[in-house]
Amino acid sequence: MKVLSLAFPGFTFIDLAGPLQAFSMLEGFESQIVWKATGEVASDAGVSVNATQTFETAWSDPDILFIPGNTKALFSLLSDDETLRFVADRGARAKWVTSACNGSLLLGAAGLLDGYKAASYWYTHDSLAQLGAIPTSERVVIDRNRVTGGGMTAGIDFGLTLLGLIDGEQKGKLGELLFEYAPEPPFACGRPELADEQTVAIARQILATLMPLEAIPTPGRRNRIG
Amino acid sequence: MKVLSLAFPGFTFIDLAGPLQAFSMLEGFESQIVWKATGEVASDAGVSVNATQTFETAWSDPDILFIPGNTKALFSLLSDDETLRFVADRGARAKWVTSACNGSLLLGAAGLLDGYKAASYWYTHDSLAQLGAIPTSERVVIDRNRVTGGGMTAGIDFGLTLLGLIDGEQKGKLGELLFEYAPEPPFACGRPELADEQTVAIARQILATLMPLEAIPTPGRRNRIG
């Protein structure tokens, strides 16, 4: 079970962690972390990981292609032809094409979500439509072989769901128990509709500077790349 | 806000990810990842991180000392004098002494939990008593400056709780919304009391081979080190 995960400079650390932790329980799990060069790739959380492969050496036929998200770092990739070509190529041959958070924007920009239902981070949810996808407000969205998770921590729900889909429900349940995944959000405000107005306003103000929705490629540009 | 995180070979990836993602929102956040040597440290999930400091060069007075958990890899540290001395030293001076999952066993083995309430992974919960702590069945346990999270994914609850404690409730709420932390465990069985008998039996069988509870140091040994 060849899991190919993209790690770009500035990626959101927990977007990668939840899914990989679940995937690591897959029967025959093997992992490659890919970027333009091998070696250190900084995350957004004060810790770096290591790319083991480049776009040239990564598996050509992964079982799972996985894309994490971020704010500015993810947005800069939406118009990066080299990355879009790589994602489009591996996505065309992967058994499962997947993402957490707004990593789905990169799948969409690479032309991999045309006509597919998909999840995204709450702030970027509507923008998925601009990239050909059908934005779907669920924490994990499965449409044929596209499996996408919502924002950041949704990667755990997404990873365990895919573990259960591939290796069977018993494995998914085992993963959830081994991970002690009985969450208790301390503030009970993890979605805009659950949070108070002030918290939502502060969040939107921060995200507006970090996620320039107007920079999301137009369909014309997307089709040229895809 | 100097956050010093231990990363030992084989550590559980998500134990580090949840807390660090939350800590990265702290005002003035700075991060050091420490191990016996700098450079690549493999996690248990098909990805490695990088230690930026050794036991010799790490901050002597961190604001937060953080210890992730694991199975065999964590257990091997419970009798590793070099690591125990380092954790005891930094723990004595850190403003906050913290862990996720069974990382609390290492805090205990280093003599840092004597008489403190603490959380741990469900399978290792009772063993905390052997190390001088008061095992407490909550997802996040705060006792004076010791803040410990339960198993693996509890690191997110723990991290957001500490973020709110240090920077104020508004920051904690903001973190929870930005992380889209409105979890939906797909199998609703993330604690033994929530899971069916078969899943609990399989989990216990796996954990019995990976977490040798009989190898946890006796109080005599602990006192010699601490």
Side-chain angles (χ1 to χ4, degrees):
Chain A
M1 183 58 56
K2 292 177 283 190
V3 178
L4 180 60
S5 305
L6 185 75
F8 51 88
F11 76 97
T12 294
F13 193 49
I14 203 163
D15 287 7
L16 182 68
L20 262 191
Q21 198 75 51
F23 297 159
S24 73
M25 288 190 60
L26 284 164
E27 193 67 35
F29 170 70
E30 294 178 273
S31 170
Q32 288 187 344
I33 309 294
V34 62
W35 180 236
K36 293 177 182 180
T38 58
E40 202 164 347
V41 181
S43 78
D44 68 343
V47 59
S48 64
V49 300
N50 294 290
T52 61
Q53 306 293 329
T54 66
F55 290 175
E56 286 69 41
T57 64
W59 287 312
S60 59
D61 57 344
D63 291 293
I64 296 175
L65 172 68
F66 172 71
I67 313 286
N70 186 253
T71 55
K72 285 182 178 171
L74 186 281
F75 273 70
S76 74
L77 293 185
L78 299 181
S79 53
D80 180 69
D81 289 2
E82 188 184 355
T83 301
L84 291 170
R85 269 193 300 269
F86 173 77
V87 171
D89 177 77
R90 297 312 193 271
R93 277 175 291 178
K95 286 201 185 73
W96 300 92
V97 176
T98 74
S99 64
C101 199
N102 59 13
S104 53
L105 295 179
L106 187 59
L107 292 179
L112 291 167
L113 293 180
D114 275 351
Y116 284 85
K117 290 183 190 171
S120 192
Y121 187 53
W122 63 264
Y123 188 76
T124 52
H125 173 265
D126 294 349
S127 301
L128 269 179
Q130 198 170 324
L131 296 163
I134 303 161
T136 304
S137 283
E138 287 166 26
R139 202 152 161 88
V140 182
V141 174
I142 305 166
D143 186 351
R144 287 155 283 174
N145 76 333
R146 269 59 166 175
V147 187
T148 49
M152 293 176 67
T153 51
I156 300 169
D157 304 274
F158 151 78
L160 289 171
T161 299
L162 194 52
L163 176 64
L165 265 178
I166 295 175
D167 275 6
E169 189 184 359
Q170 179 60 72
K171 181 65 86 68
K173 287 158 70 176
L174 182 62
E176 196 170 299
L177 176 57
L178 290 176
F179 292 9
E180 198 165 329
Y181 190 42
E184 296 177 13
F187 304 101
C189 67
R191 295 266 314 159
E193 58 271 25
L194 301 172
D196 60 90
E197 275 180 33
Q198 190 186 354
T199 301
V200 175
I202 298 170
R204 284 193 178 279
Q205 194 172 21
I206 292 170
L207 293 170
T209 66
L210 295 176
M211 296 200 199
L213 300 181
E214 68 282 3
I216 292 176
T218 62
R221 173 164 179 81
R222 178 175 54 79
N223 290 337
R224 191 169 65 72
I225 304 292
Chain B
M1 184 55 58
K2 293 177 281 189
V3 178
L4 180 61
S5 305
L6 185 75
F8 50 88
F11 77 96
T12 294
F13 193 49
I14 203 163
D15 287 6
L16 182 68
L20 262 191
Q21 197 76 50
F23 297 159
S24 73
M25 286 189 62
L26 284 164
E27 195 65 36
F29 169 71
E30 294 178 273
S31 170
Q32 287 186 345
I33 309 293
V34 62
W35 180 235
K36 293 178 183 179
T38 58
E40 202 163 348
V41 181
S43 79
D44 69 342
V47 59
S48 63
V49 300
N50 294 290
T52 61
Q53 306 294 328
T54 67
F55 290 175
E56 287 70 41
T57 64
W59 287 312
S60 58
D61 58 344
D63 292 291
I64 297 176
L65 172 68
F66 173 72
I67 312 287
N70 187 251
T71 55
K72 285 183 179 171
L74 186 281
F75 272 70
S76 74
L77 292 186
L78 298 181
S79 53
D80 180 68
D81 289 1
E82 187 184 356
T83 302
L84 290 170
R85 270 195 299 270
F86 173 76
V87 171
D89 177 77
R90 296 313 192 270
R93 279 176 290 177
K95 288 202 185 72
W96 299 93
V97 176
T98 73
S99 64
C101 199
N102 58 13
S104 54
L105 295 179
L106 187 59
L107 292 179
L112 291 167
L113 294 180
D114 275 351
Y116 285 86
K117 290 184 190 171
S120 191
Y121 187 52
W122 63 263
Y123 188 77
T124 53
H125 173 265
D126 294 349
S127 302
L128 268 180
Q130 199 171 323
L131 296 164
I134 304 161
T136 304
S137 284
E138 286 166 27
R139 201 152 163 90
V140 183
V141 174
I142 305 166
D143 186 351
R144 288 155 282 174
N145 75 334
R146 270 57 166 175
V147 187
T148 49
M152 292 175 68
T153 51
I156 300 169
D157 304 273
F158 151 78
L160 289 171
T161 299
L162 193 53
L163 176 64
L165 265 177
I166 295 175
D167 276 6
E169 188 185 0
Q170 179 61 72
K171 182 66 85 67
K173 286 160 70 176
L174 182 62
E176 196 170 299
L177 176 57
L178 289 175
F179 292 8
E180 199 167 327
Y181 191 42
E184 297 177 13
F187 305 101
C189 67
R191 295 267 314 161
E193 58 272 25
L194 300 173
D196 60 89
E197 276 180 34
Q198 191 187 354
T199 302
V200 175
I202 298 170
R204 285 194 178 279
Q205 194 172 21
I206 291 169
L207 293 171
T209 66
L210 295 176
M211 295 200 200
L213 299 181
E214 68 282 3
I216 291 175
T218 62
R221 174 165 177 79
R222 178 176 54 79
N223 290 337
R224 192 170 62 72
I225 304 292

